[in-house]
Structures are given as structure tokens and as C-alpha cells.
């Protein structure tokens, strides 16, 4: 009977490391021990501080960005929460807190409810593949420490002198001058600058410290912030805000560079 030569024996294939997508979809992710905390996914290569809280749009991603159904409106922030969990481990709730998403109802909507939707709709793999593409885009770009920016601006407000300087550069529409220069408007405008520097969402912008502890003042600031963001989105009908928006963008860019140098 002929014998097989040693070189003719087939060696079993080596098991491949799971992709980040598989590591999230199937329950094979690593833990610190039985029942312990979830560890970071393998092979991600992206640090959590380099994930913006609201993923910016990309020309290489065509809508819909994620298969989220009725959750699609908040897709940029929901995707960021999952990316942070990939890179640092732990729970989705902890990832949301890391990004500065503090209200419990917000964290629930961005995490547990979305996770349930992905699994029941059978779109978890499509969602994870979208995250793979975004991870590659972030790794290909400059490494920005968004966590450092959030920490630097945690108690920041737009300085009165900078606000007054902006006002002097606006069109002379006297009918709008008085309400526009109100100090509450300055604080609300600062929230817009915060979103531009940190790539965060408006609802996560920190309330000015001297107003945060007073529910009435906080409500006034929240309402003013909502109005400011609305007017900045409708600049075609708001000449003052149409002139103000590029000034805010320039200030945000200057502030971001200043923080990154620290």
C-alpha cells in the first residue's frame, strides 16, 4: 500500500481573527472575565478620543448612511457611540457618557433602543459595515483629540469682547440691534461655536456654569440656544444671522487650533 509523503498532508487552516463587525454582531467579544466588562474590539486601530460625537458628513458616503429606520435622524451621533464602544470597550451607555451625551433618555435612545432595532430588523451587519467604512475614513484623516476639546470647553463661554467685536462687523440693521446684542444671545451663540469645535450636537452643549444650577435660567438658555440654531439654519431669511455665521465659523476654527496646540 503506498504511503503518503509528509508533504502531502493537509494542515488545517488557521482560525482568522474576527473583523470588528463580527466582533460586535455575534456574542464572541472579549471580556475581562466571566460576566466582566467588555474589552475593546480587536484590530480597530481607532482611539476613542479621536471619534467626534457627531460624525461629519462624507462625500464618500451616500444616503442613507445607516440602515436605522426611524432612528436615521440621529445617525451621526448614534454611530459615534458604537465607534467609541469598539475602541474602548465597556457598555454603550459608558460610550455615550464618554462623548458627553449625559441625559439618561438621550443615552437610552442612542444605545439600547437602537441596538434592539438593529437586531430585530436584521440590519446589524449592514450597520457594522458602515462603521467599518467610517473608521477607515477617520484613520485616513488627521488625528483630532475631540475629548481634549470637550474638556477644554466644558465651562467655556464666548467672551463679551469677542462678541461685541463680531457685532461691529454686522450690517447696520438698527431694528435688530438691541435684541441681537442681548447677553443671553451671546451665551446661546457660544453653544454653536462649541458644536463646531467639538463636532458635537446642540443638545450636548454645556450650559453656562452660572445658569446650569438654576432650572429657570437653564430653560431660558435652552430656548435661546434653540432659537439661535434655528436662525443659523435659515440664514436666507435672516440677514443678520447670514452675516454672523461666517464670523462664528472663523472663531470656531481659531479656537480649535488654539486648543489643539495646548
Amino acid at each position: 500500500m503506498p504511503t503518503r509523503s509528509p508533504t502531502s498532508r493537509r494542515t488545517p487552516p488557521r482560525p482568522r481573527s474576527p473583523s470588528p463587525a463580527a466582533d460586535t454582531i455575534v456574542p464572541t467579544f472579549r471580556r475581562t472575565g466571566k460576566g466582566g466588562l467588555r474589552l475593546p474590539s480587536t484590530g480597530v486601530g481607532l482611539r476613542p478620543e479621536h471619534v467626534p460625537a457627531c460624525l461629519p458628513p462624507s462625500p464618500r458616503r451616500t444616503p442613507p448612511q445607516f440602515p436605522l429606520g426611524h432612528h436615521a435622524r440621529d445617525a451621526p451621533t448614534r454611530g459615534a457611540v458604537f465607534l467609541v464602544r469598539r475602541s474602548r470597550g465597556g457598555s454603550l451607555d459608558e460610550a455615550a457618557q464618554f462623548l458627553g451625551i449625559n441625559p439618561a433618555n438621550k443615552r437610552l435612545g442612542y444605545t439600547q433602543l437602537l441596538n434592539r432595532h438593529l437586531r430585530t430588523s436584521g440590519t446589524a451587519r449592514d450597520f457594522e459595515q458602515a462603521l467599518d467604512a467610517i473608521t477607515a475614513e477617520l484613520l485616513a484623516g488627521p488625528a483630532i483629540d475631540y475629548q481634549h476639546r470637550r474638556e477644554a470647553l466644558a465651562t467655556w463661554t464666548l467672551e463679551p469682547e469677542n462678541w461685541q467685536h463680531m457685532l461691529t462687523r454686522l450690517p447696520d440693521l438698527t431694528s435688530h440691534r438691541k435684541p441681537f446684542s442681548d447677553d443671553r444671545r451671546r451665551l446661546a451663540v457660544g453653544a454653536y461655536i462649541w458644536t463646531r469645535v467639538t463636532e458635537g450636537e446642540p443638545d450636548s452643549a454645556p450650559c453656562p456654569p452660572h445658569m446650569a444650577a438654576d432650572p429657570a435660567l437653564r430653560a431660558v438658555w435652552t430656548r435661546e440656544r434653540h432659537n439661535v440654531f434655528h436662525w443659523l439654519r435659515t440664514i436666507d431669511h435672516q440677514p443678520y444671522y447670514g452675516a454672523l455665521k461666517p464670523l462664528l465659523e472663523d472663531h470656531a476654527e481659531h479656537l480649535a487650533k488654539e486648543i489643539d496646540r495646548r
Side-chain angles (χ1 to χ4, degrees):
M1 179 182 293
T3 59
R4 292 182 181 178
S5 65
T7 56
S8 66
R9 295 175 184 171
R10 297 180 61 187
T11 57
R14 294 181 180 179
R16 293 183 299 174
S17 299
S19 68
D23 190 52
T24 302
I25 295 169
V26 297
T28 58
F29 47 77
R30 302 174 303 134
R31 294 185 181 273
T32 55
K34 185 176 181 181
L37 297 175
R38 179 178 180 142
L39 292 171
S41 300
T42 57
V44 174
L46 185 67
R47 295 184 61 84
E49 62 267 24
H50 297 153
V51 178
C54 187
L55 298 173
S58 167
R60 293 190 293 274
R61 262 180 276 132
T62 55
Q65 295 179 357
F66 298 109
L68 299 182
H70 66 282
H71 299 278
R73 183 175 64 86
D74 298 316
T77 303
R78 297 176 189 275
V81 172
F82 277 75
L83 282 182
V84 167
R85 186 182 67 167
R86 277 186 176 191
S87 59
R88 74 191 298 265
S91 67
L92 288 170
D93 189 69
E94 290 169 338
Q97 291 184 62
F98 178 84
L99 291 172
I101 303 170
N102 293 318
N105 61 329
K106 275 281 186 182
R107 295 200 304 268
L108 177 66
Y110 286 145
T111 58
Q112 288 91 334
L113 295 181
L114 173 58
N115 205 26
R116 187 184 312 157
H117 166 76
L118 292 173
R119 294 182 184 281
T120 57
S121 64
T123 56
R125 185 171 295 278
D126 294 333
F127 179 78
E128 295 294 341
Q129 288 174 346
L131 292 183
D132 289 341
I134 296 170
T135 298
E137 291 177 20
L138 291 174
L139 289 172
I144 298 173
D145 191 337
Y146 293 101
Q147 176 70 356
H148 175 56
R149 291 185 179 185
R150 287 192 294 268
E151 291 172 350
L153 298 182
T155 59
W156 174 86
T157 57
L158 177 61
E159 301 84 353
E161 58 272 20
N162 287 330
W163 175 233
Q164 290 302 319
H165 178 66
M166 291 181 191
L167 292 179
T168 63
R169 300 174 62 186
L170 296 177
D172 187 17
L173 303 178
T174 54
S175 61
H176 296 273
R177 176 67 66 178
K178 185 176 180 180
F180 201 79
S181 59
D182 187 278
D183 197 56
R184 291 180 301 181
R185 194 65 50 86
R186 170 181 69 87
L187 297 174
V189 162
Y192 178 81
I193 295 175
W194 180 92
T195 64
R196 301 302 295 155
V197 174
T198 65
E199 292 291 350
E201 63 163 8
D203 287 347
S204 295
C207 182
H210 70 282
M211 306 177 79
D214 187 321
L217 290 177
R218 188 182 186 94
V220 170
W221 176 80
T222 301
R223 183 171 62 252
E224 196 71 16
R225 185 202 67 201
H226 173 80
N227 291 338
V228 164
F229 277 79
H230 169 72
W231 290 324
L232 286 170
R233 286 193 298 266
T234 57
I235 56 177
D236 290 343
H237 307 289
Q238 300 287 343
Y240 240 48
Y241 282 89
L244 177 64
K245 191 171 184 177
L247 301 180
L248 300 179
E249 299 286 351
D250 288 345
H251 193 75
E253 183 178 357
H254 170 77
L255 188 58
K257 291 179 179 178
E258 186 179 85
I259 294 172
D260 292 343
R261 284 195 296 265
R262 297 175 189 171

